Amino acid sequence: MGEFIAEMQERLLPEYEQMKHYQIFRPEQIRECIRKRERLLLNIAKNKKSMSDYLEFIVYEKTMHKTITEKEKLAGIKLTGLKASTCTRIMRMYREMLAKFGHEQRLWENFIKFSKKSAPQEVAGIYEKMLSYHGGDPQIWINAALWLYEYNRTNMPRVQDILLRGLQRHPASESLNNCFFNIQLKEAAMADNKRTLGDNTVSEQDIQMERVVAVYRNSLANITNLDYFLKLLESCEDHAELTAKLQHHIIEDIQTKFSREPSLWDALAKRELRGYHLGDLMNMAENEDDTEPSEKKSRTDSQVKVFQTRSKKRCIELCVEVYKAAVQQLQTQEIWNLYLDAMLALSRNHKSERAFIQKCLANALQDGHHSKLMHPRHYATLSMILGSNENGGETCVRILTEALQHDESLRMHELLLSAHIRNDDEPSVHKLFSQVRRTMGAAGLSLWQMVIAYYRARNDNQAKRQLNDIYTQACKETWPEFADLRCSYLRYLWHEHSQAKARDEYAKLAQQPPMSLQLHREMISLIESTKLKDLSTIKAWRMCYEFMTTYFGKKEPSVWIEYIAFERDHGEAKSIALLSRRALSTLEPQFVSIFEAERAMAHVGMAITR
């Protein structure tokens, strides 16, 4: 081992001489560098080497390389030799480490990341070795192929070889097939579309496109996910004319395999919107069928454009036609959602043809309503549109009432109730609320809140009577979710009637199931808001804490802490010791330590404040 260390240090002597000659480091820094490297070399020379031994050496050398680069810039000198020898040493350390720990994918990734900057010519070879260990991950085959393709595009056969080997192991990998397709498509787009190959009448571009089609055909046999084929179609749009025939084949295939998939119809409709009309592809196919074989030419020999230029309005019309065919054939809520979402997106994002787009949206919403498959969120949009129209209130109510016949969801009831409130139709509001409060249960809490807000806003005598009735009924309900309404009732009485009436009602509600800690804290908050702190107020305030400790004192240490703080700040300090003993005797054993800790923290906080 000693001979190995001595030999390695001897090889490093020229580097130390250069450091000294160019005054990169001071003599003591160079000596420290020698000692550090000697220790690191000893670690990797021992029999049982760990991954951390190599990593420590690599990190040190990377730091040294960074320092040399910075010194090079500051001094304005070239230190190519020093940097190259450091990089070589790092590369060697990585190779030795990976020979022993090749199962660590993270190490390979770090090695490749370093090599791309320092020795890019080595990266392809590193990927090849990595694939022998981690070829089970399709992404590594993709990364290897993309690096080689971007680094040296003239080496296309090697790129194809990597991807084909990857597909042998992962024939159903969507990402791998997609990568191969896109690379071949790029090659086809860059190929010469004029030159003929020997006696053939096709161009080099035609040959490349045949390879693209071959990749697609191979994936068609192994992949069953529609999204993959839709991504291929999107890639083809980047070279729309070149890939027109392939687009037609892809669309025919996916229409056969996925004819009941809403996302297929959605994608085809949006293609129409982007100007890729399916009819143009069908016309192209018909023209090719009508042409005699002897008359067929290379795709580039003809200057006829496949996709015709159309106005924005016409593209929208064609898009709507596809959606209409889709909803008629599929008759599902999902396709209606896609159709209506597309129309809404058009109305938001397009400034031209505004009137026509609004008409298309209105027709889509009307047809969706008649289909009985429209989602409540689209009814919400329709309600908003009609609500903004001066004469749309009655129409909105009629449509939502019809919709409730087949969709009795909470959201639909909320929309109809909102429409009645917007029309200020109090009898209809009361009638609808009376119907749903008996059937919705706790789930109808939002309807109670809407009706309460409506009557509070009206603030006439009739509204006050209705409001009192609704609050009284709400307080009788035993659902825990209705605690919010009890608190709302206390606030209403406190601010709109009298504090005395609020306190009397609180005294009743505090003992009426279901018990709610929120109710007591709401009453405390109201009492705290008063400036008057007379004896009766303090008594009412203390009563709140008594209720809290009575009903929640076994499992809530915080109520005792709050009670003690009240007596300390507003009540009788002599009661604190008694409250502490009550808390310790009342709390369940598992909560005693929490109480003691919180009490100690409160005591410390008070001492600091003083």
Side-chain angles (χ1 to χ4, degrees):
M1 183 184 296
E3 292 178 359
F4 168 76
I5 301 298
E7 182 182 348
M8 292 299 296
Q9 288 285 32
E10 188 176 344
R11 291 181 183 177
L12 290 168
L13 286 176
E15 291 186 37
Y16 299 137
E17 290 294 334
Q18 288 187 61
M19 291 178 186
K20 184 177 180 181
H21 176 71
Y22 290 111
Q23 298 181 349
I24 300 172
F25 299 110
R26 296 190 301 274
E28 62 271 18
Q29 290 177 316
I30 295 175
R31 286 193 295 271
E32 177 60 27
C33 179
I34 294 171
R35 285 194 296 271
K36 181 76 172 177
R37 278 180 172 155
E38 184 176 352
R39 184 180 68 80
L40 294 171
L41 286 168
L42 279 169
N43 288 341
I44 64 170
K46 61 188 180 184
N47 291 331
K48 293 185 178 180
K49 309 175 190 63
S50 68
M51 191 164 59
S52 60
D53 292 330
Y54 286 103
L55 288 173
E56 187 180 6
F57 204 149
I58 289 169
V59 168
Y60 177 76
E61 293 295 342
K62 283 184 176 180
T63 305
M64 183 63 69
H65 184 274
K66 182 181 178 182
T67 304
I68 293 170
T69 304
E70 291 172 354
K71 297 279 187 179
E72 184 183 53
K73 292 178 180 177
L74 289 172
I77 55 177
K78 292 291 183 182
L79 300 172
T80 308
L82 267 177
K83 292 194 296 183
S85 58
T86 306
C87 286
T88 301
R89 194 156 43 252
I90 294 171
M91 299 279 287
R92 187 173 71 247
M93 288 298 108
Y94 267 121
R95 287 194 171 95
E96 287 184 18
M97 177 172 60
L98 287 167
K100 299 178 184 297
F101 307 102
H103 59 281
E104 289 286 344
Q105 183 174 330
R106 177 172 48 89
L107 299 180
W108 288 100
E109 291 169 352
N110 289 337
F111 186 20
I112 288 170
K113 183 179 179 181
F114 174 78
S115 300
K116 284 180 177 179
K117 294 180 180 178
S118 305
Q121 71 281 1
E122 301 287 338
V123 173
I126 298 171
Y127 266 123
E128 285 290 353
K129 291 179 181 177
M130 183 181 181
L131 287 169
S132 65
Y133 287 94
H134 302 285
D137 185 352
Q139 190 59 46
I140 297 175
W141 294 93
I142 294 170
N143 293 343
L146 288 175
W147 165 259
L148 190 60
Y149 183 65
E150 293 168 2
Y151 180 67
N152 185 7
R153 292 199 174 188
T154 60
N155 204 359
M156 188 60 189
R158 191 174 176 187
V159 175
Q160 291 171 330
D161 176 66
I162 290 173
L163 290 169
L164 286 170
R165 285 189 288 129
L167 285 174
Q168 285 177 346
R169 291 194 62 174
H170 309 282
S173 170
E174 294 179 20
S175 55
L176 195 53
N177 276 282
N178 200 317
C179 176
F180 201 178
F181 182 89
N182 287 333
I183 287 177
Q184 289 292 172
L185 185 56
K186 285 181 183 178
E187 287 296 298
M190 293 187 294
D192 190 347
N193 62 356
K194 300 295 183 183
R195 183 173 47 144
T196 57
L197 302 176
D199 296 332
N200 293 331
T201 59
V202 293
S203 68
E204 182 183 345
Q205 192 171 72
D206 290 308
I207 300 298
Q208 293 287 358
M209 276 305 300
E210 288 176 6
R211 292 172 181 165
V212 177
V213 174
V215 174
Y216 162 68
R217 289 297 179 198
N218 179 70
S219 65
L220 186 63
N222 297 302
I223 296 176
T224 57
N225 183 15
L226 173 60
D227 289 340
Y228 165 76
F229 298 103
L230 296 180
K231 287 179 182 177
L232 296 192
L233 268 180
E234 288 181 11
S235 298
C236 288
E237 289 178 11
D238 295 334
H239 311 282
E241 296 296 323
L242 175 63
T243 61
K245 188 175 180 180
L246 175 57
Q247 290 181 62
H248 187 239
H249 288 320
I250 293 174
I251 291 172
E252 281 189 330
D253 292 334
I254 59 180
Q255 282 181 323
T256 302
K257 293 180 68 172
F258 307 103
S259 61
R260 299 292 301 175
E261 287 289 334
S263 54
L264 168 62
W265 291 91
D266 183 52
L268 294 178
K270 288 175 179 175
R271 274 176 58 87
E272 298 288 345
L273 200 58
R274 294 193 295 270
Y276 303 109
H277 180 40
L278 181 58
D280 292 338
L281 295 177
M282 295 173 68
N283 291 336
M284 174 200 68
E286 290 175 2
N287 292 336
E288 285 190 352
D289 291 340
D290 293 340
T291 306
E292 294 296 327
S294 59
E295 297 174 356
K296 287 187 178 181
K297 299 180 182 180
S298 166
R299 65 171 51 80
T300 55
D301 291 339
S302 174
Q303 299 300 318
V304 178
K305 190 177 179 182
V306 175
F307 292 105
Q308 304 302 311
T309 303
R310 293 176 174 83
S311 66
K312 174 59 71 175
K313 182 177 180 180
R314 181 55 182 156
C315 288
I316 294 171
E317 287 176 345
L318 293 170
C319 169
V320 170
E321 286 177 12
V322 174
Y323 276 123
K324 284 184 175 179
V327 295
Q328 185 176 1
Q329 182 169 333
L330 302 185
Q331 297 182 9
T332 63
Q333 189 176 75
E334 183 180 357
I335 187 60
W336 273 106
N337 287 346
L338 293 170
Y339 178 18
L340 293 167
D341 286 342
M343 294 300 102
L344 287 169
L346 272 176
S347 68
R348 287 191 299 266
N349 302 330
H350 287 74
K351 295 182 180 179
S352 59
E353 301 291 347
R354 292 289 299 171
F356 180 68
I357 291 172
Q358 292 300 323
K359 181 181 178 182
C360 291
L361 173 60
N363 290 339
L365 289 168
Q366 184 178 14
D367 293 343
H369 169 63
H370 290 152
S371 74
K372 300 182 180 181
L373 293 170
M374 196 158 82
H375 194 274
R377 64 187 172 89
H378 292 122
Y379 274 110
T381 301
L382 178 58
S383 177
M384 182 182 66
I385 293 172
L386 292 173
S388 61
N389 191 318
E390 186 177 349
N391 301 316
E394 292 183 4
T395 304
C396 181
V397 168
R398 177 180 57 78
I399 290 174
L400 292 173
T401 303
E402 291 172 359
L404 268 177
Q405 302 303 312
H406 56 82
D407 182 357
E408 296 183 349
S409 65
L410 173 64
R411 182 58 179 146
M412 290 304 300
H413 281 94
E414 289 176 345
L415 290 172
L416 181 55
L417 186 59
S418 294
H420 287 317
I421 290 173
R422 194 165 51 239
N423 294 341
D424 197 15
D425 186 353
E426 192 277 333
S428 296
V429 170
H430 187 265
K431 180 180 178 182
L432 178 61
F433 175 67
S434 299
Q435 291 171 352
V436 299
R437 76 178 185 183
R438 291 189 294 269
T439 58
M440 285 283 180
L445 175 62
S446 60
L447 300 174
W448 288 75
Q449 293 169 332
M450 290 170 65
V451 172
I452 287 171
Y454 168 67
Y455 281 120
R456 291 195 68 170
R458 280 178 65 96
N459 202 31
D460 53 26
N461 291 332
Q462 182 186 4
K464 289 179 180 179
R465 288 193 299 273
Q466 293 285 18
L467 192 57
N468 283 324
D469 291 343
I470 292 168
Y471 269 130
T472 302
Q473 183 61 41
C475 291
K476 291 179 182 178
E477 302 295 349
T478 57
W479 299 300
E481 294 85 352
F482 274 47
D484 281 341
L485 294 184
R486 292 186 176 188
C487 294
S488 173
Y489 188 31
L490 286 184
R491 290 193 298 271
Y492 169 70
L493 292 175
W494 186 276
H495 296 296
E496 303 295 333
H497 289 269
S498 68
Q499 295 181 13
K501 191 167 185 179
R503 289 175 184 174
D504 292 343
E505 187 63 30
Y506 165 73
K508 297 176 186 176
L509 294 176
Q511 303 174 71
Q512 181 178 318
M515 302 306 175
S516 167
L517 189 57
Q518 181 184 354
L519 178 74
H520 305 297
R521 285 182 170 148
E522 182 65 38
M523 192 64 208
I524 289 171
S525 175
L526 291 171
I527 293 173
E528 284 180 335
S529 66
T530 61
K531 295 180 180 180
L532 185 63
K533 297 293 188 294
D534 57 6
L535 188 60
S536 62
T537 302
I538 296 297
K539 184 179 178 181
W541 200 341
R542 183 178 288 110
M543 183 177 67
C544 297
Y545 287 110
E546 281 296 328
F547 279 131
M548 288 170 68
T549 54
T550 300
Y551 296 115
F552 302 97
K554 290 184 178 182
K555 297 184 179 181
E556 289 286 346
S558 60
V559 299
W560 293 102
I561 299 297
E562 292 170 19
Y563 197 174
I564 290 171
F566 160 73
E567 293 293 1
R568 181 193 66 207
D569 299 335
H570 305 285
E572 299 176 356
K574 62 184 181 181
S575 303
I576 293 177
L578 177 60
L579 283 174
S580 297
R581 289 194 296 273
R582 282 179 59 192
L584 292 173
S585 62
T586 305
L587 282 166
E588 293 180 1
Q590 64 268 33
F591 298 109
V592 170
S593 60
I594 300 174
F595 166 74
E596 290 178 332
E598 290 186 5
R599 186 188 171 198
M601 289 296 295
H603 181 72
V604 170
M606 192 63 190
I608 292 172
T609 305
R610 289 176 179 174

